[in-house]
Amino acid sequence: MNGEPPISCNLDCDINTCGSLCCRNCPVLTQDEVEKLISGVREEYGLELIQKRYFRRAKGEHGTYFAAKMIKGQCIFLDKEKRCRIYRCRPLLCRLYPVTDADFVDVRCPLVSGNKISGQVLDALRQRYAGEVDKRIRMEHTFRFED
Ligand code: SF4
Ligand code: SF4
């Protein structure tokens, strides 16, 4: 949807190596982000996502958010080929992967372990994490998921 480099579920990723590892954790979103995603998917893909069917509540210490539902340990938006069905509209946390915190990079991702992503790009993603991820979500340590 914008000019950023595609990272998570990159169509060029060799997912036979990682099995789309990045999509085995559900991204957490604010209500605003869920609404934006739903309208984005409507525009981009012509699909009508029913919030309750695709997202569950995620309660933290600082607020209540939403998370993409998981099916058999994988994000509900992953297709049979293990590619994201809503890639162009994917949540911010997916866009920032393999950065999963302002000071944490998931080294299990082959883009990182295989040095396919530069330190410069990782720094830029870290900065975006610190500046763009909802402040309350950044402060949370754990979430309690509800159906
Ligand atoms: S884990 Fe890394 S290499 Fe695998 S699909 Fe996700 S971003 Fe690509
Ligand atoms: S929304 Fe897409 S990119 Fe994000 S975890 Fe789900 S399948 Fe992966």
Side-chain angles (χ1 to χ4, degrees):
M1 291 181 95
N2 56 33
E4 70 191 299
I7 305 289
S8 151
C9 277
N10 187 333
L11 298 182
D12 295 328
C13 284
D14 177 8
I15 53 172
N16 291 321
T17 313
C18 65
S20 291
L21 181 72
C22 48
C23 303
R24 291 190 209 151
N25 284 318
C26 50
V28 175
L29 305 88
T30 62
Q31 175 70 59
D32 283 354
E33 288 171 328
V34 171
E35 285 168 15
K36 200 172 151 204
L37 187 150
I38 289 173
S39 65
V41 168
R42 187 183 300 126
E43 254 175 59
E44 289 276 330
Y45 296 95
L47 294 173
E48 195 59 49
L49 298 180
I50 297 165
Q51 182 170 328
K52 275 195 166 177
R53 188 178 296 167
Y54 290 92
F55 299 92
R56 57 185 174 159
R57 280 177 186 275
K59 282 195 174 166
E61 211 181 315
H62 306 281
T64 299
Y65 320 93
F66 295 87
K69 286 190 180 176
M70 301 288 282
I71 295 179
K72 294 183 182 168
Q74 296 187 333
C75 175
I76 194 168
F77 293 115
L78 212 58
D79 68 14
K80 282 185 185 151
E81 280 74 46
K82 295 191 183 296
R83 304 285 184 190
C84 179
R85 286 190 287 145
I86 56 159
Y87 186 75
R88 295 193 296 278
C89 305
R90 68 202 188 286
L92 177 61
L93 291 180
C94 305
R95 291 170 188 271
L96 301 180
Y97 188 87
V99 164
T100 57
D101 206 335
D103 56 6
F104 192 84
V105 174
D106 191 346
V107 293
R108 297 170 306 162
C109 167
L111 294 179
V112 180
S113 55
N115 291 320
K116 291 180 183 154
I117 185 167
S118 72
Q120 220 173 0
V121 169
L122 288 175
D123 283 347
L125 290 172
R126 275 198 210 95
Q127 274 175 24
R128 287 191 58 197
Y129 192 103
E132 294 177 35
V133 175
D134 181 81
K135 191 178 166 196
R136 292 168 309 150
I137 291 179
R138 276 190 277 125
M139 289 193 299
E140 303 292 3
H141 294 294
T142 53
F143 296 100
R144 199 175 76 240
F145 298 108
E146 297 174 355
D147 285 332

